[in-house]
Structures are given as C-alpha cells and as structure tokens.
Amino acid sequence: MRIVIIGASSFGLAIAEELIETDREVVLIDKSRELLEQAAERIDCGMIEGDGSNPDVLREAFRDEDDVCIAVTNASEINILAALIGRSIGYGRVIPQITSNALLRVCCELGLDDVINPHAKVAEDIVDMLTGDDDAMKDPLLKDDLLLTRVTVPDRLAGERLDLPGQGRVVALIRDGEEQLPGRDVTMQTGDVLIVVLPRDRQEDLTKAFATD
C-alpha cells in the first residue's frame, strides 16, 4: 500500500511522520518546492512537486488499487477535487480534509465518506475540557450567565477582525489544525474555528453572525 499525501503543510507532515513510523510507504505532493525542501529535512519519503489535483500528477504517484490518497491542502475545494480525481484513477481510498460544514454535506452527496475535519475535532476537545465533559470534572466551568462554544468562519467573514456580538471574546483560534491565542490584530480566515465565551443570552446573535448563508 502506498499512501499519497497532498499538501506539505504542518498537518500533512504530521500525518506523513506518523505513517512513516509504522513503516508505510509515503509520497508527499505539493506545488511548492520550498515546502518540499523543508519537508525533506524532517522526513524521508517520496516527493513530487506538482498540483495534487492534476490527474497526471496523481497518476504519477499511483501504483495500484490498494493505494490511499489523503488531500490536506488549505483549500477544501481542492481537496474534494483531488479526492474525486484520485477515485477515478483507481485509488482504493480517498480522504479529503474539509473545514466547511456546507462542503461536508457536499462530500456526503458525492459519496466521499472518509473525511478529515481536524478543526472541529480539536475544537470539540477544547470545549469538552473547558466545560467539564471529562470524567475528572463533575461540573462545567461555565453554567450560569456565560456560555463557552465554537463557531467556524464562513467565506464572507474572511479578512474581518475578531469582533463578536454581545461582548463575546475569542479565547482560542484553530487554523490549519494548529491552536493559537489570537492577538487583537488577527483577521479571520475561511475555515478558522473560534472558541468563544459570551453571555448565554447572546448565543443566537453569534449563530446568525457566523451563518454560512
């Protein structure tokens, strides 16, 4: 089995490292020569410079029907396209990374059942920890006037400042699978997951502000 990873981001490299540790054959694809050169300093695997959504590039990496194609670029649309092309070429399993809830529904309609949604998973873990869903904590930290929740940034809010309704505060930002404490000057990007604390009675305002439609 050959595992082809599209996207030499920190997330893509982390996946590659874990697979190499289990003696899997890995091929990394990225359009950036610089990123591939940086990756070569960390991992030992096959590398192809090119567009991972290009059929010719995916055919070059393909060996047989047992191969797996994992698309983890920063663009969900490209990941979906790469997965569909990979499936048509003959990859036995295709796994796109998706950060948009709307595109998750599209994946279901296209029959792309194996989907990575790291932002939502990390956000869920943070919320579970802070609200006391862990068995080690019997009571949530926030249970009266304040609410701890998460929202995903839609396309229309990309480039905007972290201004929230109802005196809300962003306590953490998850971008490309990495957690960070956002500064005042940070602007939002499509697919960012925000961990937010706000008055409980303003939750509806927050939901409307970050609606995808």
Side-chain angles (χ1 to χ4, degrees):
M1 175 194 298
R2 172 178 292 171
I3 301 177
V4 177
I5 300 175
I6 303 170
S9 65
S10 57
F11 187 43
L13 290 184
I15 295 173
E17 286 178 326
E18 291 293 328
L19 291 170
I20 291 171
E21 285 293 323
T22 60
D23 295 326
R24 297 297 200 285
E25 181 184 359
V26 175
V27 174
L28 184 64
I29 298 176
D30 200 284
K31 292 187 291 186
S32 170
R33 177 182 294 271
E34 180 181 358
L35 286 180
L36 290 177
E37 289 175 348
Q38 293 174 3
E41 297 176 359
R42 289 179 50 181
I43 60 176
D44 182 16
C45 70
M47 296 188 184
I48 298 176
E49 181 183 349
D51 183 352
S53 62
N54 184 311
D56 291 337
V57 174
L58 282 179
R59 287 192 185 95
E60 181 181 349
F62 180 71
R63 184 174 57 188
D64 59 45
E65 61 184 11
D66 291 328
D67 290 353
V68 177
C69 177
I70 304 175
V72 288
T73 75
N74 293 329
S76 298
E77 296 86 351
I78 292 177
N79 295 336
I80 291 175
L81 178 60
L84 292 174
I85 292 173
R87 186 168 65 183
S88 70
I89 288 173
Y91 284 82
R93 190 174 182 186
V94 293
I95 307 173
Q97 173 184 255
I98 307 299
T99 58
S100 165
N101 289 333
L103 289 178
L104 282 173
R105 292 191 292 271
V106 171
C107 286
C108 291
E109 294 170 359
L110 293 173
L112 296 173
D113 299 323
D114 292 327
V115 172
I116 299 172
N117 191 350
H119 297 185
K121 181 62 174 71
V122 174
E124 181 181 340
D125 290 344
I126 291 176
V127 172
D128 286 349
M129 178 177 63
L130 294 179
T131 56
D133 287 345
D134 193 298
D135 290 340
M137 299 177 64
K138 296 181 180 179
D139 297 315
L141 296 177
L142 302 177
K143 54 186 177 181
D144 293 320
D145 296 331
L146 296 179
L147 173 73
L148 184 70
T149 187
R150 68 177 184 265
V151 291
T152 301
V153 177
D155 290 337
R156 60 183 177 80
L157 293 181
E160 300 290 332
R161 299 282 293 274
L162 293 172
D163 296 325
L164 303 180
Q167 299 179 322
R169 296 289 184 271
V170 178
V171 297
L173 182 152
I174 304 167
R175 177 175 293 166
D176 298 332
E178 297 183 354
E179 306 156 24
Q180 56 183 279
L181 296 173
R184 295 181 179 179
D185 297 331
V186 170
T187 57
M188 295 181 285
Q189 295 181 11
T190 302
D192 283 351
V193 175
L194 309 180
I195 308 301
V196 177
V197 174
L198 78 164
R200 193 173 294 274
D201 60 2
R202 301 304 298 272
Q203 182 179 13
E204 185 175 350
D205 294 336
L206 181 70
T207 301
K208 290 180 179 178
F210 284 83
T212 55
D213 296 331

